[in-house]
Amino acid sequence: MDIVILGSGNVASHLGKSLRNAGHDIRQVWSRNIHHAEALAHILQSQATHQFDRLLIDADLYIIAVVDDAIQEVLKGMPKVAGCIVHTSGSTAMDVMPSGISNYGVFYPLQTFSKEKNIDFSTVPILLEASNESTYGLLKGVAFSISGNVQACTTAQRKIIHIAAVFSCNFSNHLYVIAQHLLEENGLEFDLIRPLIHETNEKIRYHFPMDVQTGPAVRGDQDTLRQHGEQLTAHPDWLAIYELMSDAIWKEAKKGE
Amino acid sequence: MDIVILGSGNVASHLGKSLRNAGHDIRQVWSRNIHHAEALAHILQSQATHQFDRLLIDADLYIIAVVDDAIQEVLKGMPKVAGCIVHTSGSTAMDVMPSGISNYGVFYPLQTFSKEKNIDFSTVPILLEASNESTYGLLKGVAFSISGNVQACTTAQRKIIHIAAVFSCNFSNHLYVIAQHLLEENGLEFDLIRPLIHETNEKIRYHFPMDVQTGPAVRGDQDTLRQHGEQLTAHPDWLAIYELMSDAIWKEAKKGE
């Protein structure tokens, strides 16, 4: 497949590498910043551009992997192309595409991408939506070339999945950030709780989170909750999170009874 | 080492099994509920009691692994024993011990224990505090018999570690609970985001959470934040968590600039 990637961030980079490893030809990388385009194009043995009027118009697939806010702008800037156009955003509707384009869709890899770490795409769910059946077939072929977990997904479902992803990935990471601060402020190392974080998540691989909730809030251990609250008074932001999360855990536990 | 375990919950069970596997003799299991005591004693090839006046008084080590609220009550109920007494609580001070006892301490395994899943203790940090050097030596020997990660830890440090553990383990699990609800309410399976949760935590094994924060909040992606907020209006509790966490992530990002 001949592919053009628009974007040079984490999704563009990881997806581009994975597609290239699967044997696709990444013919061009576009980025507003030519240095970023060149850096990624170099890795993908591709050519770079930052000008829409230099965009190749004869590729099979155009993957717009830019921040959500910029998708519309990229779509407006692009010349008319023959191939299929997709974006990779969890929270952007498929019908963001301008009228006049007939083959378009969404190619959403449900994963967190950081420049610090490579991704094994083979187990990453790829959620697809397409404007018509032939486009869906094309996207399915590309998706299956990099992952064994490919599913159809409507815009409405994808938006819910994206919110669930924000809760379980972005927010949980922030809880680790708070833990890191708490430990380091007290001369302790984050390493101490790495085994705990690992185990917490190992449990989730084979159980449902509802079945493995632990801690003072679910036990209704008021002494500990009060004591923790007192210890967090110097950090009102963390205290607010502590109280809100503890209340939510307690409510959830009551609901299950 | 001759050991008596007081308690029959998750910590008592997992710790008891691990100690027994390391070759210690769990001579007795006490629980307020004789059926629970018998069930655990059976697994540990030990004897069971629910009566304090039947407690063996000649063991080397008494491990009180009950809910925090019940530690004092157990201490009051126990007959005078010759051996060392420890509790396993993250948030309870060492000096909870009644006067008149001289060999006591804390044996805190920093891990989350569920009845659903076995634990490999070899990497679990065991945090120790003791009333005197000989007791510390004894606890250190027992701890190293089950784990390669044994550290001294004051009551003040342990309380901070426990709060950090609540944030990173208990609260993150509740975020997964919310994600599960969101998905299931919309006919989607929790399985979909398991690879994402796994990857989020793989990152944390080798990076600091501060360095790998992703998502709309850290990018300041107002469109997505607003859209997610609108989609959560039917769930005010989750919306409150969404807003508080997103604000906290944004503040943290600004701090780092």
Side-chain angles (χ1 to χ4, degrees), chain A residues 11-29:
Chain A
V11 176
S13 301
H14 288 286
L15 192 54
K17 283 184 224 172
S18 175
L19 289 167
R20 175 155 169 85
N21 288 341
H24 299 288
D25 187 2
I26 314 299
R27 290 189 53 207
Q28 195 178 38
V29 175

Side-chain angles (χ1 to χ4, degrees), chain A residues 69 91 111-112 114 162 170 173 176 181 194 201 203-204 207 209 213-214 221 227-228 237 251-252, chain B residues 69 91 112 114 162 170 173 176 181 194 201 203-204 207 209-210 213-214 221 227-228 237 251-252:
Chain A
D69 297 4
S91 57
Q111 190 48 283
T112 172
S114 308
H162 189 229
N170 307 149
N173 188 76
Y176 307 150
H181 280 306
R194 280 200 163 105
N201 291 286
K203 274 197 231 179
I204 295 303
H207 298 281
Q213 184 69 54
T214 57
D221 179 347
Q227 197 188 107
H228 286 178
D237 290 355
K251 275 190 203 171
E252 179 75 29
Chain B
D69 297 3
S91 57
T112 172
S114 308
H162 189 231
N170 308 149
N173 190 76
Y176 306 151
H181 280 306
R194 280 200 162 106
N201 290 288
K203 274 198 232 180
I204 294 304
H207 296 282
M210 292 177 193
Q213 183 69 54
T214 56
D221 179 347
Q227 196 188 105
H228 287 176
D237 290 354
K251 275 190 203 170
E252 178 76 28

Side-chain angles (χ1 to χ4, degrees), chain B residues 1 6-7 58 61 96 99 155 170 173 185 211-212 215 230-232 236 240 252:
Chain B
M1 191 84 65
L6 297 103
D58 61 342
L61 178 62
V96 70
S99 59
T155 287
N170 308 149
N173 190 76
E185 278 182 4
D211 300 331
V212 294
E230 284 162 14
Q231 288 197 264
L232 289 168
E252 178 76 28

Side-chain angles (χ1 to χ4, degrees), chain A residues 54-74:
Chain A
R54 293 285 184 92
L55 208 71
L56 300 176
I57 57 168
D58 61 342
D60 301 307
L61 178 61
Y62 294 78
I63 300 177
I64 303 176
V66 299
V67 293
D68 296 2
D69 297 4
I71 293 174
Q72 298 253 23
E73 194 190 318
V74 169

Side-chain angles (χ1 to χ4, degrees), chain A residues 132-193:
Chain A
N132 56 51
E133 274 194 38
S134 67
T135 301
Y136 187 78
L138 179 141
L139 296 181
K140 203 168 156 181
V142 175
F144 269 120
S145 72
I146 57 173
S147 168
N149 190 348
V150 177
Q151 300 183 37
C153 179
T154 65
T155 287
Q157 287 176 320
R158 196 174 59 252
K159 287 185 177 185
I160 290 295
I161 293 167
H162 189 229
I163 297 177
V166 167
F167 273 93
S168 51
C169 164
N170 307 149
F171 291 176
S172 62
N173 188 76
H174 185 67
L175 295 174
Y176 307 150
V177 169
I178 295 173
Q180 187 183 346
H181 280 306
L182 272 168
L183 293 170
E184 290 181 351
E185 278 183 3
N186 290 276
L188 296 157
E189 289 188 8
F190 182 67
D191 247 2
L192 254 181
I193 59 163

Side-chain angles (χ1 to χ4, degrees), chain B residues 58-217:
Chain B
D58 61 342
D60 301 307
L61 178 62
Y62 293 79
I63 299 176
I64 304 176
V66 299
V67 293
D68 295 2
D69 297 3
I71 293 173
Q72 298 251 22
E73 196 189 318
V74 169
L75 282 166
K76 272 181 210 153
M78 282 177 71
K80 192 163 171 58
V81 297
C84 165
I85 306 176
V86 295
H87 70 67
T88 58
S89 161
S91 57
T92 305
M94 179 173 72
D95 61 19
V96 70
M97 299 289 164
S99 59
I101 302 179
S102 54
N103 297 321
Y104 57 89
V106 180
F107 191 101
Y108 176 49
L110 177 51
Q111 192 48 284
T112 172
F113 300 99
S114 308
K115 61 176 176 302
E116 294 83 2
K117 188 170 178 306
N118 283 327
I119 289 282
D120 169 15
F121 259 85
S122 64
T123 57
V124 174
I126 308 224
L127 306 180
L128 301 179
E129 188 177 9
S131 59
N132 55 51
E133 274 194 37
S134 68
T135 302
Y136 188 78
L138 180 142
L139 296 180
K140 202 167 155 181
V142 176
F144 269 119
S145 74
I146 57 173
S147 168
N149 189 348
V150 178
Q151 300 183 35
C153 179
T154 65
T155 287
Q157 286 176 320
R158 196 174 59 254
K159 287 185 177 184
I160 290 294
I161 292 168
H162 189 231
I163 298 177
V166 167
F167 274 93
S168 50
C169 165
N170 308 149
F171 290 175
S172 62
N173 190 76
H174 185 67
L175 295 174
Y176 306 151
V177 169
I178 296 173
Q180 188 183 346
H181 280 306
L182 272 168
L183 293 170
E184 290 181 350
E185 278 182 4
N186 289 278
L188 296 157
E189 289 189 8
F190 183 67
D191 247 2
L192 254 182
I193 59 161
R194 280 200 162 106
L196 175 69
I197 292 176
H198 182 65
E199 175 64 20
T200 301
N201 290 288
E202 279 297 300
K203 274 198 232 180
I204 294 304
R205 295 180 77 175
Y206 308 106
H207 296 282
F208 285 114
M210 292 177 193
D211 300 331
V212 294
Q213 183 69 54
T214 56

